Amino acid sequence: MADRKAEKNNISDQTQKSIVDFDPPKKPKRNMYAIACAVLASMTSILLGYDIGVMSGAMIYIKKDLKINDVQVEVLAGILNLYCLIGSCAAGRTSDWIGRRYTIVVAQAIFFVGAILMGFATNYAFLMVGRFVAGIGVGFALMIAPVYTAEVSPASSRGFLTSFPEVFINGGIMLGYVSNYAFSKLPTHLGWRLMLGVGAVPSVMLGIVVLGMPESPRWLVMQGRLGDAKRVLDKTSDSKEEADIRLADIKGAAGIPENCTDDIVQVPKQSHGEDVWKELLLRPTPSVRHALIAAVGIHFFQQSSGIDSVVLYSPRIFEKAGITSTNDKLLATVAVGFTKTVFILVATFLLDRIGRRPLLLSSVAGMILSLATLGIGLSIIEHSDHKLMWAVALCIAMVLSYVAFFSIGMGPITWVYSSEVFPLRLRAQGASIGVAVNRVTSGVISMTFLSLSKGITIGGAFFLYASIATVSWIFFYFMLPETQGRTLEDMEGLFGNFGWKFAKLNKNEKQQKEEVNHAAGNGNGKGQIQLARDEYVD
């Protein structure tokens, strides 16, 4: 009897040891290879950021040089976002066809042509042609950067890595503001052309560097190239065990038997993208429908809460606040870009520690407060007969506060969330829908701000944005589940439960784990193994 008990304890010890060996460390080191891949892919987002930032200052000189009115200025500033639609919609299918990596190269090439056209524009119509071409390139880059980064990242640092596109958008905005200030001393007809044309330089460098990146392991599996996918996963995972689990999950999502170990296999036709749009839009499962609503909603609210109005028209806002010197307005605008860049860097380190939901809800709450206070400050200044320095300082502080709160949550989480919630077979097209909604909303907001400010006053415009942000907070609270730590293949089980069901779902999961813990305490080795597996996946 004693021998049997000792033998049982020995088996239990072996089981416990195997569980410890199987589990990843509590705090795995950052995978530098995955980080390098994410950085290179995300740098394509500089294109959008630079265009937004540089256009805010270039508009001042374009208006003087080409003798255009405010409506033409609005169209010029915002139309690129609508042109992005073509690029983002085409990028989904293109990336499934030629791969994620070469799609990034295509984005750089298209933007290069657009930047050259804008730099040599001789009139308003010529400039609009350049905006059209550049917009297509930006649409490609916006869609593919977060998708590639999400697909190459290990689950432990996916939030950190997939926030990089937003980091580089902010970095691009900062470079655009600096470019404005640097070239503002040149003759008017030359300054704005250099501001826009110099954007061609980083696109050439990035297009070359990206060729050194590996292809997305998920795209490789979709092509049946299991051997290549395994080699990439071995380099981008935190452990050998995680690489094997990720490969098994991807094969399952692509319809490939888990026991298949050939380097090259025949992939079932349905995994190549046929009928994807029908599955997304016409006959979605409850899980896919929920994920689509979440992705579209977060992209819509990110832009409709007014971020592009603040970034594009910050010189106008500072002018309304009482800053009259062009040099001072551009310097204040540089401060906006600096603030956005600093806080987005802070956000990248919090995404995988705090989680998506807490950061997002806190971020939006801060945005609501900042927008409402900015509206109050601008309204007071507009109705005052003399300059109120405290109100001017309040408005500047609230602009900086707004972009800080946006950058610490709403900005990066939109790209992180929408790139990770769709199943593998729908990811590229699902992400392209999110980008399309993002760009349409941004185009509408940026092309109506000046007219809206004249119609309901500039203070009223920011009260409207504050109201939209309030609605977004309610939407996020009820519609967006936490995705922190989940594998991409685990997302489908997370969606499909709306509103109050989230709390019930979380409660049920907690009860199940407590039951397993209880079973484990009674010596149930099987329960211990299952618990370890659940903790690894979660």
Side-chain angles (χ1 to χ4, degrees), residues 398-480:
M398 286 303 101
V399 169
L400 298 178
S401 171
Y402 170 70
V403 298
F405 277 115
F406 178 88
S407 294
I408 208 166
M410 177 78 97
I413 290 173
T414 296
W415 302 103
V416 172
Y417 208 88
S418 62
S419 66
E420 66 185 4
V421 297
F422 291 105
L424 171 63
R425 65 190 180 280
L426 309 176
R427 187 165 300 133
Q429 286 81 0
S432 69
I433 291 175
V435 172
V437 171
N438 187 289
R439 293 299 90 199
V440 168
T441 310
S442 175
V444 171
I445 294 296
S446 54
M447 286 195 293
T448 57
F449 178 72
L450 296 180
S451 301
L452 185 68
S453 299
K454 292 177 182 177
I456 63 173
T457 73
I458 191 168
F462 285 107
F463 286 134
L464 177 61
Y465 294 148
S467 301
I468 295 172
T470 303
V471 174
S472 75
W473 193 96
I474 297 170
F475 175 86
F476 297 149
Y477 182 83
F478 287 104
M479 297 298 292
L480 272 63

Side-chain angles (χ1 to χ4, degrees), residues 272-437:
H272 282 286
E274 284 79 1
D275 298 325
V276 163
W277 293 110
K278 290 182 181 178
E279 191 172 349
L280 265 175
L281 302 175
L282 300 180
R283 296 191 299 272
T285 63
S287 175
V288 170
R289 184 186 300 113
H290 184 182
L292 183 63
I293 292 172
V296 168
I298 196 170
H299 274 288
F300 170 77
F301 284 117
Q302 185 203 48
Q303 293 300 323
S304 61
S305 55
I307 185 61
D308 273 7
S309 293
V310 172
V311 173
L312 268 173
Y313 298 103
S314 50
R316 291 281 188 117
I317 296 170
F318 291 131
E319 183 180 343
K320 290 289 186 180
I323 300 175
T324 55
S325 167
T326 300
N327 193 61
D328 291 344
K329 284 186 284 188
L330 292 178
L331 276 176
T333 303
V334 171
V336 172
F338 179 77
T339 303
K340 278 178 64 60
T341 304
V342 168
F343 278 90
I344 189 65
L345 290 173
V346 173
T348 60
F349 293 98
L350 298 179
L351 278 166
D352 288 315
R353 297 181 182 182
I354 296 178
R356 281 52 155 167
R357 272 177 63 90
L359 266 184
L360 183 62
L361 294 175
S362 302
S363 166
V364 176
M367 288 165 57
I368 294 167
L369 180 62
S370 301
L371 286 168
T373 308
L374 177 59
I376 292 171
L378 289 170
S379 298
I380 290 172
I381 290 171
E382 193 170 19
H383 291 87
S384 176
D385 295 331
H386 56 280
K387 193 170 184 177
L388 302 172
M389 289 307 299
W390 68 267
V392 174
L394 177 66
C395 290
I396 295 172
M398 286 303 101
V399 169
L400 298 178
S401 171
Y402 170 70
V403 298
F405 277 115
F406 178 88
S407 294
I408 208 166
M410 177 78 97
I413 290 173
T414 296
W415 302 103
V416 172
Y417 208 88
S418 62
S419 66
E420 66 185 4
V421 297
F422 291 105
L424 171 63
R425 65 190 180 280
L426 309 176
R427 187 165 300 133
Q429 286 81 0
S432 69
I433 291 175
V435 172
V437 171

Side-chain angles (χ1 to χ4, degrees), residues 221-222 224 226 248 250-260 265-268:
V221 171
M222 288 168 64
L226 300 186
I250 298 169
K251 286 195 293 187
I256 300 172
E258 188 174 344
N259 58 2
C260 181
V265 299
Q266 186 69 32
V267 181

Side-chain angles (χ1 to χ4, degrees), residues 64 69 161 176 187 367 425 510:
K64 292 179 182 177
N69 56 40
L161 297 180
M367 288 165 57
R425 65 190 180 280
K510 185 176 179 182

Side-chain angles (χ1 to χ4, degrees), residues 22-40:
F22 176 79
D23 278 348
K26 294 294 182 183
K27 294 183 179 180
K29 294 181 179 179
R30 298 288 190 191
N31 186 307
M32 298 310 296
Y33 187 80
I35 289 176
C37 294
V39 167
L40 290 176

